[in-house]
Every structure is written in structure tokens, then in C-alpha cells.
Amino acid sequence: GGRAVLKLLGYTEESGEGLSFPPPPHGPHPPRVAAVTADVLLLRAELDLLLLNQHPNPHFFSQILLGGDEVRPV
């Protein structure tokens, strides 16, 4: 899930106050952490829709997973 991704970006430990990152310059770039977290949340929502057979564009994932052509907007 999202915590595994945050660990890859420098997550160190969870405290009662939330997530703890090392101080700069060794810590992760906050805008990058926010962007990756949003991407993970969106992917999870999309996968949930796929599993419920309610995704509006399931063919996008079929193309990606089967190594098809690049997905083009309609």
C-alpha cells in the first residue's frame, strides 16, 4: 500500500503524531511525497473499480497489462 511507497521515499517510523521523515537534506522532497501518495491512492481507487467491474475504461488497463499500444485519450 501507500506506506510501502512512503518507506521507499524516506519514511522512517510512525509515531503517535504521524509519519516521521529524516530532516533535510536527507529527507524526501515533500511535493514528491505528496505526488506519489496521490498516485498510489488513485491507483488503489482504480483497481477497486476494476475489481467491482465498475471501471468506466477497463480497456486502458487491459492494454497496459497485455503490453499493447500506448493508451490514447478518447
Side-chain angles (χ1 to χ4, degrees), residues 14-42:
E14 185 173 350
S15 68
E17 297 175 4
L19 302 178
S20 173
F21 294 95
H26 303 298
H29 187 54
R32 179 74 178 137
V33 172
V36 170
T37 301
D39 287 344
V40 169
L41 291 172
L42 288 172

Side-chain angles (χ1 to χ4, degrees), residues 13 25 28 36 51:
E13 62 184 39
V36 170
L51 292 172

Side-chain angles (χ1 to χ4, degrees), residues 21-64:
F21 294 95
H26 303 298
H29 187 54
R32 179 74 178 137
V33 172
V36 170
T37 301
D39 287 344
V40 169
L41 291 172
L42 288 172
L43 177 60
R44 179 179 230 155
E46 297 231 23
L47 291 175
D48 286 344
L49 288 173
L50 280 171
L51 292 172
L52 294 171
N53 202 25
Q54 295 179 352
H55 195 283
N57 299 302
H59 61 281
F60 288 170
F61 289 92
S62 298
Q63 289 174 340
I64 292 168

